[in-house]
Structures are given as C-alpha cells and as structure tokens.
Amino acid sequence: MSGLVITRRRLLGMFGATGAAAALSACGSSLGGGGESSSGGEQGGAVKIGLVVPQAGVYAPVGLDLQRGWDLWLEQHDGKIGGFTATTVVGDEGETPQTGVAAVQRLLQSDNCDVLVGVVSSATALGVRDLVTESKKLLLVANAGAEDITGKAASPYIWRTSFTNGQVSGVMGRYLAEQGTKDGVFVLAPDYAAGAEATAGFQTAYEAAGGAIAGSAKPPFGKTQDYQPFLSQIQSSGAKATFCFFAGAEAVAFVKQYRQFGLADTIPLYGSGFLTEGGVLTAQGAAALGVQTSLHYTSELDNEHNKDFVAAYKKKYDAVPTVYSVQTWDAAGVLDRALKSAKATDGDALSKALDGVGSIDDSPRGEWSFEGQTPKQKFYVREVKQAGEGFVNAVIAETEPVGQDS
Amino acid sequence: MGAWFDANLVSVLNGVAIGCLLFILAIGLSLVFGMMDVLNLAHGATFLVGAYTGWVVGGTDPTWATFLLALAVALGIGLLVGAGMSLLTEPLRRRSHLDQALLTLGVALIVAELLSIAFGNDVQAVDAPPGLDGTVTLLGSAYPTYRLVLIVVGAVFAVVLWALMSRTMIGTVIRATVADRDMVSAIGIDNRKVKLAVFAAGSALAAVAGVLGGPIYGARPGLDSTVLILALVVVVIGGLGSVRGALVGALVIGQIESLGRAVLADAASFLLFGALAVVLVLRPQGLFAGAAR
Amino acid sequence: MTRVVRTGMPVVAWLALAAAPVFLAPYATTTLARMLVFGLLAASLALLVGVTGLPSLGHAAYFGAGAYAAGWFAKNVSTTAPLSLLIAAATGGVVAAATGWVAVRARGVFFLVLTLAIGEIVLQVAEVWESMTGGSNGLYGIPATTIGGEPVVHPAYLYWFVLAVFAVGFAVLWLVVRSPYGTALRGIHDNEPRMRAIGYPTALYKYTVFVIAGTVAGLAGGLFAVQQRLVTPADVGFTTAALALLAVIIGGAGSLWGACAGAGLVILVRDSLGPTLDGHGPLVLGVVFVLVVYLMPRGVAGIRLRRAS
C-alpha cells in the first residue's frame, strides 16, 4: 500500500461532498413557521400518504404484505382515495425505533405527508405519538398491537385498523375454557411487552371462564433458538394443552420443535394467530398440522369480499394474502370513507370523520367497526389443514365482535 | 436430588447436543485467533452462508443424497471464503489486530446483506435427512434423533481433531504456532501458508456447522450475529487457540443454554453474558489459555 | 498556509454548524441534530478506542443509561433544561465507574468481548426493569425540555440547544486529549509496559478515562432523550454500540472531530440513503468500512496528524 495518495482526510472530503450534494436538496429554512404542520391537501383534491413499513430486516416480510395490501386497494380504485388523487411515499421503519422515528419525521417534515399509515413496531408507534399529535396529522396504525396505543397513550390523531395483543389471545382463552380444557393449560410467551400483553389477555379471559393455568414460562425474546428446556417444562407440568404467543422466526422454531419433541401428539397446541400466519406457515410445513389459533382474519374466510380480495391479490402478487395485507387494505377503505366525509386532509377533520364512520361492511375480514379508535371485530378460530401442496388456516369457529377491553 | 436430576436429564443431554454443534462452529474461530491473532468476525456470516447452502441444495425435505451434497458444497464454499478472508487480511498483517478484526466485521456486514438480497428476508426451515427426523424415547419423553446424532458427530470430530493435533505434523505446527508464532517462522515454515490453511479450514467448519445446524436453527437474516456472539462467548470462555478449551467452552455454553434455562428460568436472559462476565473477571485469559501471553 | 488552514477550519466548521438552521429545511436540521448527538457518543468512544487503545463494543450501555435517566427525570421530576442532562451525565459516569474496574483488567479482544457482555447485560436490565424503563416498549412520551418555562419544540431551537450541549461535551473531550493526561493516555496506547516502567499508574489512568468517556456518553444519551423523546432498549445494546464503533473507525480512531464526521456519515447512510436502497444501507456501510480500513495511512503518522484537533 505504499505510495497511496488517498488519505482519510480526502476520503472524508469526498463523502462530505456527496453529503453536501444530498443536503443541497434539503435546502430551505428551518426558521419561521413555528414548527407547525404545513398546510397540505389544499392543492385541489390531492392527498399525500406516508406508508411507514419495515423494508429490510426481520420484519421485512410483514412490511411487504402491508405494502401489498395498500397498493392493491389503490390499484383497484384507480389511484383515488375518498375523491382525492393519492400519492404514496414509503418510509422505511427499519428494525429499531431509532429508524422508525426518523422515518416518521422525514415523512412529516420533509415529504409533507397529510396522512400516515402503517407502523409494525409498538415501540415506534408509541414513540411517535407526541410527534403526530403535535403535527395534527392522522396516523392509521396498521399493525402495532400494544394496548397503550389506543389506551393509556391514546391520541385523537392515532387510529388503528389492526388488533391489540390481548384481544387476539383473549378469544383463545374463552374458546379453550368453553371447549372443556378447564384445567391444565400451559402458557408460553417470550419475555417482552407484546408477549406479556398476550399472556395477560389469555389468562384473564381463560380464568374468567373458569379455567386454571397449569404453569407458565417466558423464553428470552430474540435470544432463544432452542426451546427444549421449555418443552420439558410443559411435559413435567402435566398440562393438557399449551397456549403460546410467538411470531416470525420464533414461531417457526417453536412449532417445529414442538412436533420434533413429540408433544404435538399428546398436548394439543393453541396459539395467537401470528403463530401460523403467512410465510411462517410455509416454513413450518407439516409440523403445524392441527395447531389451532385465533385471529381476526384468514385467507380461507368464506365471504364475498374476501373471495374477491384473495383472487385479486393472487393475480397481482402470485401469493396468498395475510392478515397484514388486510389491515392496510382496510386502512385504505377507512381513509376513503373519512376523506369522502371530511372533504379535507388535515388531522382534525379526518379524526372527526372517523368518529362517525360507522360500520365497515365491505372488509375481507367481515363486518367490523371502531371502538375506542381500534377495531371491534369478529374473531375466527382456525386450524392448520393440508390444502393440496401447501397448508392453510381453515376456519373451525367464529366469535361475536370483540373489542379491545374484552 | 434424584428426582430433580430425572426431570432435568433431558436438558443436560440437550446441552451436550447443542454444545457439540457449537464446538464444530467455534473451533475454527479459536484456532485462527490463537494462531494469527486475527479475530474473524465474519465467522457468523460464514455459518449463515452454510445454512443457506443447506437450504438451497438440500431443500426443505432433504434426502440423504442432497444432505451429503449440501455438506460437501458448504465445505467447498467455506474453504473458498476462508482463503478469501486470509488474502484480504494479508495486507494488514503489520497493522494492529483491531484493524484486522474490523476488516472482518466489514466483510461480515457485506456478506449478510448480500445473503438477504439473494435469498430474501423470510425465515427458512430445513428438516433432518430421512431416518433422522424421528424421535427416540428417553426417560419417558421423546427426544429428536437428529440431536443425538449431533452428539455422535461432535464426539467423533473431537477425537479426530485430537488425533490430528497430537499425532500429526500439521497438528504440531498448529500447536507450535499458537504457542510462539515467530519461532515457527524462524525455523522456516511459511506463516502465510499456515494462516491460509487454518483460515480456510476454520471457515469450512463454520459453513459445515451451518448445514448441520439447519434442522435446529434454519436460515434467516440475523442468524449470523446470533451465532457469532455464541461463538465468541465459547471461544473467550474456553481460551483462545486451545482445542480443549473450545470443547469445554462449547459444552459449558450448551449447558447454560439448556439446563441453565430450565433451572434458573427467571434469570434466563442474563445467564449467557453473566457467565461470560464472571469467567473474564476471574480468569481474564479464559479457562484454558493456549498461548503464552 | 497550512497554519491558517489548521486554525481556520475548525472556526469555519463551528460557524457553519451554528448557521445551519438558517439554510436547511426542518427535516435536514433534525437529521443534523441527530448526527450531533451520535457525534458526541462517537467522540467519547474515540477517546477510549483511539487515544487510549481500548476497543469497546459496549459503550452504548452508558449512552442508554444516561438516556433512560434523562427521560425518566423529564417525565417524573422536571423538564427544566440542564437538569435532566446533568442527571444523564452523572448516571453514565456511575454505570461506567461500576463496570469499569472489571473492564480495564482485560486487554485487546478480551476487553472487546467483555464490554460486549456488559452492554448486553445492561440491555437486559433495561428490558426487565419495566417500572423505570418501560420495558421493551421503551420510555415514550418524554416531554420536551423547557428553557425558562418554554418548551423547546421548534426544530431550529432544538437544534441550537443540541449544538450548545454538544459543544460543551466536545470541549471536555478536547481538553482531556490536549492535557498532559491525554498525552499519557496516548503513551499507554503505544506501549503500556514502558509507561508502567517509568512510573505511571496505568490501571488508574485507564479506569479514569473509562469513567470520563462513560460520563460524556451519558451526556450524549441525555441529549438523545431530549431530541428523540423516546428511549428503547435498542439504544443500549450492541446495535448502537457497533454503529458508534463504525463511526469512530471511519472517522479515524485517534481523532475527535473525525469520529463526529464518521457519525454523521453513518447516520446519513442509515437514515437517508437506506430507504432508497430498499433498506440495504448496511451494505454501503460495510463497503465504506472495508475501504476505510484498507486506505488508512500506515501506523503512527495517521494518528499524529490528528493531534492538533
């Protein structure tokens, strides 16, 4: 490397120049305006929507489904939403709230979006609450499941079209108690906020209906690849059934190992729907057969709107839609109604319009409505069954509409 | 005591199985660092390359033919990756060891991103080859056959490695280089060739471990950092450059991850790094330091 | 000419930083503020890595501890401007003092892995201690800091506040590096046994620099809490620590301003370039990293060039 003329100073200079070029496009002035929201949406019937989804990293598959649901709705409605022409700007939520908050800031401050849709991580959703509220822009959360988002930390500008963690598992709690597994359910969820909420939701509902827990465990979140110690614990507890909450890679590992260790034949496995939803089910394959879960959607739903939705989705993407696709599809539908009614794009008008939006009757998931700014919806108990070459979540039971506090 | 042991014996056995896999994974890292003072932070990425190889070649339901083929392909790719890493770090030979470690970190980032671009972000699962994907009844509960096979593979490998290190010329050269690198080059053995060979072999082992670990870990983005941290902990606890140390370290970590989590459930998240911190405080050079440092 | 450039460049740089909000759009100003926060973290790490030769992969632990402390203080006690920052710096220093005595007994790779372990343990504490840290959802809803009773929310005013605190933190580091103490640290980096032989208590020096770096990292953490108003376990662990180390190496291990520039580049790639690359920002970072490690000028000459900063 002798005789090399490039020094670090010059390298930094080159990067600095590139950065400056990027910065030039960021020119303007931060002074004046008092940090208020820009007056968007008044350019004659156009609305700019910021889609906040993870584009890379462990949550990228969820982000992809979210984006697909959104894009499909717009395509089916000629790119118009609520009478306005829609422009979608995608912001990468990334893997941590650091990038999530930055993405939301960029969409609000730099791209001047009127409405925000998306957000997978609950920490990010909670973290941008003040930012969104101070900017007076509407945020439609299309995935994040923490109760506080529409509970303790609720804001008139934050509405949700997805679920709360406790809501989903509470359904399974009631179902199991009614099915006769009155005593001896072992509860398992990773040691983080969503896991704790899911466990609490299940336990409250299950015990209220007369059930008794046989034991519980909390595998370290993100740090467990081998579930043998917990599987042994389930066996030695004498449990008659297992209820668990896992998503993503942990769901794949757990369900596979549950079968590998022979528990699948003797201690039936139940779970919150994310255990077998989407790409996770493809990876689990036959190991997931017979697993029953509760969720507010499955691609097998037998209603008009879902049949059309699934057909269109398959045609465009050559893939089966998941609950995530439906959540943004419905977000678009809801925003459509709100814009039609408010005829404006600012947060106050839209929030007021959402209050009066009533029942959503054309959703693939069935009829639902807002309660406390989050969906009150029907839930389905699904069982994994073989369908041709692959596997699906077939519906075996349906519930009455359930809100977030049940 | 007996009852407690019965209940947790399966966890102990599982710990041995995981430990064997970790041993195969970590030995390459330990030897490269012990011999060359190069901390190969791309070791986890190499494991992931092997894991994806296992998935691509073997598929989700491998037959014996495809499984063995996957092992062979991973071995080859690992050798190439290792040789490449050795050549990449060659120009930095006279610079600080931190620089070389950081270079490998950069390579690890690049490899992980390329894998994500090539294979997507979905979690991929791999099954064990036919015949090994069943269960064996142990002490009243079922235990996957494949993990028992891992124990056998690990034991055989440990014996072979021991024989290599203590009975052959190559092994003597390796042990001598760990003990005193300069003296070895002073007696005429070319350090660069030795480094190339060990780097290649170490990376090949990491890739093979990726295929072997497929039925347990699968292949997905992020697995490389998880595995790298496990390997680092094994190697640091066991002592760098020592085969015995890597084996003991791997078995200890295997037990911590299995028996430790079964018995100390509440402290489960703190166990791994707590143990590492304790060992480093009491014996900063690891349990079996290989070199005279 | 070089003399003029040498003294002139820092002045111009500070003036440009001060004038930035006048010429930049609000989001760019916010991004620049974020770069300053990380810059301070990276500079404190540069003190450890470049000046003293202690490569730490767990420095974010003190950053995160300070951030949580400042956030908790702002939520529960008071939002008056300098208070939460003082608490943050103190917390960073205390945690560094508690873990430092263990850390400086190790050297090289062992120090690297031990600091990684410390960082991960502190992260676990953050996840588990829900009443103080909010667990994995993080500490959200941190109120804006107030100066004279007025909350600082406008991007430009917030930026100037961040710049002011950054200047204070940077000045502390700069003074340490310029002092005889700093020279002794460089001596320890170059040849610790020799320093010990001529009578320096090297262990004590290493411990004190660890605590100083931890305190400034804590201050940076407090600033982070003020700027982002959300603290999560991700800010405490390996991801953030690795970013800081990347920034330090890219900028030049012995250089404080270099570390800041490196941090700016890392944030720029992650937040601005990342989205356009479909989220594959780390690929660019990895390539930059490899290039930088290869092209760094040989040996001591590179370090000597930085001593004046």
Side-chain angles (χ1 to χ4, degrees):
Chain A
M1 292 271 155
S2 60
L4 210 51
V5 181
I6 304 177
T7 65
R8 173 167 301 112
R9 267 222 163 100
R10 295 213 188 154
L11 210 60
L12 271 177
M14 281 195 301
F15 288 129
T18 330
L24 275 173
S25 67
C27 269
S29 176
S30 303
L31 296 173
E36 289 157 10
S37 60
S38 60
S39 56
E42 286 172 27
Q43 315 98 311
V47 69
K48 208 169 186 191
I49 298 142
L51 192 63
V52 186
V53 289
Q55 289 186 299
V58 285
Y59 296 119
V62 173
L64 183 66
D65 281 349
L66 288 172
Q67 200 167 346
R68 283 178 167 175
W70 178 262
D71 288 343
L72 185 65
W73 194 97
L74 279 181
E75 190 189 271
Q76 297 230 324
H77 292 79
D78 292 324
K80 277 174 142 341
I81 184 163
F84 292 77
T85 318
T87 320
T88 309
V89 182
V90 179
D92 183 8
E93 189 185 330
E95 284 189 294
T96 65
Q98 274 180 26
T99 37
V101 170
V104 170
Q105 276 175 330
R106 184 170 73 91
L107 290 171
L108 285 178
Q109 293 174 346
S110 175
D111 296 307
N112 291 317
C113 293
D114 304 304
V115 178
L116 293 175
V117 175
V119 186
V120 167
S121 151
S122 289
T124 304
L126 290 166
V128 299
R129 181 218 178 260
D130 286 337
L131 182 62
V132 165
T133 311
E134 281 160 19
S135 318
K136 297 197 200 308
K137 298 272 171 86
L138 180 72
L139 166 63
L140 278 172
V141 173
N143 194 64
E147 281 153 12
D148 287 351
I149 295 173
T150 49
K152 272 197 323 203
S155 153
Y157 301 96
I158 299 185
W159 292 68
R160 176 159 42 187
T161 60
S162 52
F163 59 90
T164 66
N165 297 314
Q167 184 187 30
V168 179
S169 49
V171 167
M172 197 41 102
R174 273 184 297 281
Y175 179 76
L176 273 181
E178 279 152 25
Q179 291 302 301
T181 320
K182 275 257 177 336
D183 47 295
V185 170
F186 194 95
V187 183
L188 194 68
D191 197 4
Y192 72 131
E197 282 184 21
T199 310
F202 175 83
Q203 233 171 303
T204 318
Y206 184 62
E207 283 169 355
I213 308 281
S216 70
K218 295 192 288 186
F221 175 59
K223 292 193 174 57
T224 313
Q225 296 82 33
D226 178 38
Y227 289 92
Q228 179 275 324
F230 306 98
L231 295 170
S232 292
Q233 216 181 324
I234 294 176
Q235 281 179 313
S236 53
S237 73
K240 300 220 186 61
T242 306
F243 173 81
C244 69
F245 170 86
F246 287 109
E250 299 193 313
V252 175
F254 184 73
V255 169
K256 287 198 69 124
Q257 289 173 22
Y258 200 82
R259 183 158 299 265
Q260 278 172 2
F261 280 79
L263 276 82
D265 300 317
T266 50
I267 307 176
L269 181 62
Y270 300 90
S272 182
F274 308 101
L275 189 70
T276 55
E277 186 71 6
V280 162
L281 185 58
T282 321
Q284 290 159 347
L289 277 173
V291 173
Q292 297 188 2
T293 58
S294 60
L295 199 62
H296 45 294
Y297 178 77
T298 164
S299 55
E300 304 302 295
L301 283 182
D302 191 19
N303 67 66
E304 269 298 318
H305 303 290
N306 189 45
K307 287 204 163 77
D308 294 336
F309 175 65
V310 173
Y313 195 95
K314 272 192 183 146
K315 187 151 170 245
K316 181 166 167 129
Y317 300 114
D318 197 22
V320 175
T322 61
V323 69
Y324 311 110
S325 329
V326 166
Q327 284 163 182
T328 36
W329 171 276
D330 279 349
V334 154
L335 188 60
D336 178 59
R337 287 169 159 81
L339 282 169
K340 271 205 190 99
S341 148
K343 297 200 185 13
T345 58
D346 64 285
D348 291 311
L350 285 174
S351 175
K352 200 146 163 270
L354 282 174
D355 240 337
V357 84
S359 156
I360 318 290
D361 53 5
D362 60 354
S363 164
R365 69 175 100 174
E367 198 175 315
W368 64 276
S369 60
F370 280 113
E371 184 183 77
Q373 293 171 225
T374 196
K376 178 174 176 171
Q377 56 198 335
K378 274 200 253 187
F379 272 82
Y380 307 94
V381 177
R382 327 157 324 153
E383 183 176 331
V384 176
K385 295 199 170 128
Q386 185 120 33
E389 283 289 310
F391 302 89
V392 292
N393 288 295
V395 181
I396 60 174
E398 230 176 78
T399 73
E400 287 304 305
V402 169
Q404 70 175 324
D405 294 317
S406 326
Chain B
M1 184 66 187
W4 176 90
F5 212 56
D6 275 343
N8 291 300
L9 201 57
V10 179
S11 291
V12 172
L13 191 68
N14 192 55
V16 175
I18 300 291
C20 287
L21 184 63
L22 287 178
F23 173 58
I24 301 175
L25 163 69
I27 186 69
L29 187 66
S30 178
L31 285 179
V32 167
F33 188 82
M35 295 181 67
M36 294 295 150
D37 267 345
V38 176
L39 184 64
N40 181 16
L41 292 173
H43 205 70
T46 316
F47 176 93
L48 190 57
V49 169
Y52 274 113
T53 307
W55 174 64
V56 166
V57 173
T60 322
D61 271 313
T63 62
W64 271 104
T66 55
F67 186 71
L68 291 171
L69 180 66
L71 280 171
V73 173
L75 188 82
I77 295 180
L79 284 172
L80 285 174
V81 169
M85 292 297 304
S86 178
L87 293 173
L88 274 178
T89 53
E90 210 30 59
L92 303 180
R93 206 171 4 121
R94 291 211 192 83
R95 298 241 295 268
S96 83
H97 302 303
L98 178 64
D99 284 343
Q100 295 177 54
L102 292 171
L103 178 70
T104 60
L105 183 63
V107 171
L109 272 176
I110 295 174
V111 169
E113 283 298 307
L114 290 176
L115 284 173
S116 153
I117 293 175
F119 297 114
N121 289 306
D122 284 307
V123 178
Q124 305 299 353
V126 179
D127 277 331
L132 295 184
D133 50 2
T135 61
V136 161
T137 317
L138 280 176
L139 307 153
S141 39
Y143 192 74
T145 323
Y146 186 75
R147 294 184 185 212
L148 287 176
V149 169
L150 268 184
I151 297 180
V152 171
V153 169
V156 166
F157 178 69
V159 166
V160 165
L161 200 62
W162 171 82
L164 191 83
M165 293 293 270
S166 56
R167 298 260 184 272
T168 67
M169 184 60 180
I170 301 169
T172 318
V173 171
I174 292 176
R175 278 182 296 131
T177 315
V178 170
D180 194 337
R181 190 179 333 135
D182 296 322
M183 185 57 86
V184 170
S185 69
I187 60 173
I189 295 175
D190 190 353
N191 258 333
R192 275 176 305 178
K193 293 214 185 84
V194 176
K195 178 181 167 201
L196 187 81
V198 174
F199 232 124
S203 297
L205 284 173
V208 164
V211 177
L212 288 175
I216 302 180
Y217 292 126
R220 59 177 169 87
L223 187 60
D224 55 320
S225 353
T226 311
V227 156
L228 175 66
I229 289 181
L230 279 174
L232 273 179
V233 173
V234 165
V235 153
V236 168
I237 282 186
L240 295 156
S242 157
V243 174
R244 195 174 22 154
L247 185 60
V248 170
L251 289 173
V252 166
I253 297 300
Q255 285 309 316
I256 288 176
E257 294 277 280
S258 291
L259 187 66
R261 284 185 175 179
V263 169
L264 295 169
D266 294 324
S269 338
F270 290 91
L271 284 176
L272 188 67
F273 287 105
L276 176 66
V278 164
V279 168
L280 284 181
V281 167
L282 297 176
R283 253 185 95 86
Q285 71 274 35
L287 294 172
F288 296 93
R293 284 199 175 89
Chain C
M1 174 60 185
T2 13
R3 188 101 177 275
V4 172
V5 170
R6 273 262 194 87
T7 44
M9 270 197 10
V11 173
V12 170
W14 282 106
L15 282 176
L17 281 176
V22 181
F23 303 106
L24 292 177
Y27 181 65
T29 310
T30 309
T31 309
L32 197 56
R34 197 174 298 124
M35 288 181 186
L36 285 176
V37 171
F38 271 98
L40 190 59
L41 171 65
S44 73
L45 184 60
L47 183 65
L48 268 186
V49 175
V51 178
T52 325
L54 293 170
S56 169
L57 263 184
H59 207 58
Y62 316 113
F63 175 79
Y68 273 115
W72 183 91
F73 189 82
K75 275 190 91 164
N76 296 300
V77 182
S78 158
T79 55
T80 317
L83 290 182
S84 64
L85 292 173
L86 290 171
I87 300 281
T91 311
V94 163
V95 179
T99 51
W101 71 269
V102 142
V104 298
R105 290 179 59 199
R107 208 162 288 129
V109 159
F110 297 96
F111 179 82
L112 191 83
V113 178
L114 185 56
T115 50
L116 172 67
I118 292 172
E120 291 297 295
I121 291 175
V122 173
L123 183 150
Q124 275 307 123
V125 170
E127 293 254 12
V128 163
W129 201 3
E130 271 182 55
S131 49
M132 287 289 284
T133 66
S136 52
N137 272 342
L139 198 61
Y140 58 89
I142 298 176
T145 197
T146 55
I147 295 184
E150 282 294 309
V152 182
V153 275
H154 192 299
Y157 298 145
L158 187 59
Y159 170 83
W160 277 318
F161 179 74
V162 168
L163 182 62
V165 178
F166 169 83
V168 168
F170 193 87
V172 166
L173 293 171
W174 186 78
L175 286 170
V176 166
V177 170
R178 296 271 294 197
S179 68
Y181 174 71
T183 320
L185 290 175
R186 285 197 199 274
I188 292 175
H189 182 185
D190 290 337
N191 196 327
E192 191 177 343
R194 191 179 294 165
M195 290 296 285
R196 249 204 311 264
I198 58 178
Y200 280 89
T202 56
L204 184 64
Y205 271 62
K206 288 201 290 189
Y207 180 65
T208 44
V209 78
F210 197 85
V211 174
I212 292 172
T215 311
V216 178
L219 180 67
L223 209 53
F224 179 77
V226 164
Q227 201 249 345
Q228 185 168 273
R229 289 162 66 182
L230 166 74
V231 185
T232 61
D235 306 322
V236 179
F238 173 70
T239 359
T240 306
L243 275 181
L245 189 62
L246 237 66
V248 168
I249 299 303
I250 290 177
S255 159
L256 292 179
W257 75 262
C260 297
L265 181 68
V266 166
I267 297 284
L268 187 74
V269 168
R270 189 190 68 173
D271 291 348
S272 301
L273 281 185
T276 47
L277 296 168
D278 264 343
H280 290 294
L283 182 62
V284 174
L285 272 180
V287 172
V288 167
F289 202 62
V290 169
L291 286 175
V292 163
V293 170
Y294 264 129
L295 298 176
M296 175 176 136
R298 280 171 166 271
V300 180
I303 299 174
R304 219 172 260 159
L305 198 64
R306 298 309 178 271
R307 203 187 324 181
S309 66

